[in-house]
Amino acid sequence: EAGVTQFPSHSVIEKGQTVTLRCDPISGHDNLYWYRRVMGKEIKFLLHFVKESKQDESGMPNNRFLAERTGGTYSTLKVQPAELEDSGVYFCASSPPMGFNYGYTFGSGTRLTVV
Amino acid sequence: SQQGEEDPQALSIQEGENATMNCSYKTSINNLQWYRQNSGRGLVHLILIRSNEREKHSGRLRVTLDTSKKSSSLLITASRAADTASYFCALSGNTPLVFGKGTRLSVIA
């Protein structure tokens, strides 16, 4: 079984540019989550999809962040325009239906550096 | 705050010793989970303990949960250099997992 795949693994962009991160969850996992870890700080929740619907987006920092999960399969997280404070590691995770009874499977993350 | 708080923030031990990390929290939970993050890699799920369980084992890992004290501990026995990583507790309630700041474990060979 393939794990959670994230692309790209690293991205370096200039302030003001746009970056799109992609996450492919485990097939059959209805729940998809985005988290972010800024250097040395806690891992913060961004949002949660159930299939194609946004279940909880309370962690999205501002309207420069846009997440989509068309068709309930892979998800994208777009940052536009990127700011310096957006630098960090963005993790995607997925879990089966009734996900709170299971651990999450995380991808390896995308390290975003905004310069 | 909903997040768990790990203690200590950093721990350095010799190979072969045991490592104990603690997690305290304030909210009610369905379960509590422990994850490991090796440098530059993603989070790996280690173990899940439900709110009605008190202790759970997985290989060299032992997790306890005391819901009356709202605390959990992760014990790694006979540590190895490969156990060097950051360890996070994560709380599962009615919201997606909430992570603490982690404990940075260094195992010296």
Side-chain angles (χ1 to χ4, degrees):
Chain A
E1 176 184 78
V4 176
T5 305
Q6 291 188 247
F7 182 84
S9 56
H10 294 83
S11 181
V12 181
I13 62 172
E14 293 184 350
K15 176 182 172 181
Q17 288 186 322
T18 297
V19 63
T20 300
L21 313 180
R22 173 169 170 147
C23 169
D24 287 73
I26 291 174
S27 178
H29 280 193
D30 289 349
N31 295 289
L32 187 150
Y33 312 85
W34 284 98
Y35 285 83
R36 175 174 74 173
R37 188 178 193 201
V38 174
M39 178 71 76
K41 297 193 175 181
E42 69 267 29
I43 299 166
K44 296 196 80 170
F45 166 76
L46 296 178
L47 91 161
H48 170 208
F49 283 100
V50 177
K51 298 184 180 178
E52 68 276 8
S53 299
K54 292 177 185 175
Q55 183 75 14
D56 182 349
E57 53 183 330
S58 60
M60 294 288 264
N62 51 60
N63 59 10
R64 295 186 293 104
F65 289 74
L66 175 64
E68 295 180 325
R69 192 183 182 192
T70 307
T73 54
Y74 70 91
S75 173
T76 58
L77 179 65
K78 181 190 291 187
V79 185
Q80 180 183 29
E83 298 289 345
L84 299 178
E85 64 263 27
D86 301 332
S87 295
V89 182
Y90 290 77
F91 293 105
C92 173
S94 70
S95 69
M98 304 301 283
F100 60 84
N101 283 324
Y102 299 89
Y104 294 3
T105 302
F106 278 82
S108 296
T110 293
R111 182 174 295 277
L112 174 65
T113 303
V114 183
V115 297
Chain B
S1 168
Q2 276 189 304
Q3 72 186 65
E5 292 188 13
E6 292 92 341
D7 172 64
Q9 291 185 339
L11 179 62
S12 184
I13 60 174
Q14 296 289 326
E15 202 167 30
E17 293 182 336
N18 296 340
T20 298
M21 289 159 269
N22 302 295
C23 173
S24 59
Y25 59 94
K26 296 180 180 178
T27 60
S28 59
I29 59 172
N30 291 323
N31 61 66
L32 186 146
Q33 304 177 27
W34 285 89
Y35 288 79
R36 181 186 71 222
Q37 185 190 17
N38 291 86
S39 180
R41 298 195 171 183
L43 291 143
V44 174
H45 177 255
L46 296 176
I47 198 164
L48 180 155
I49 185 165
R50 303 186 196 284
S51 59
N52 61 353
E53 297 176 312
R54 293 296 168 260
E55 188 171 311
K56 206 161 183 180
H57 295 82
S58 177
R60 294 185 295 113
L61 305 181
R62 172 179 169 252
V63 168
T64 63
L65 178 64
D66 186 334
T67 53
S68 66
K69 295 181 179 178
K70 289 186 163 52
S71 68
S72 174
S73 68
L74 170 67
L75 169 67
I76 304 174
T77 60
S79 63
R80 305 167 182 168
D83 294 329
T84 294
S86 292
Y87 291 82
F88 297 86
C89 68
L91 310 179
S92 176
N94 295 322
T95 59
L97 285 181
V98 179
F99 287 84
K101 294 182 179 180
T103 291
R104 176 69 191 168
L105 174 66
S106 298
V107 181
I108 303 165

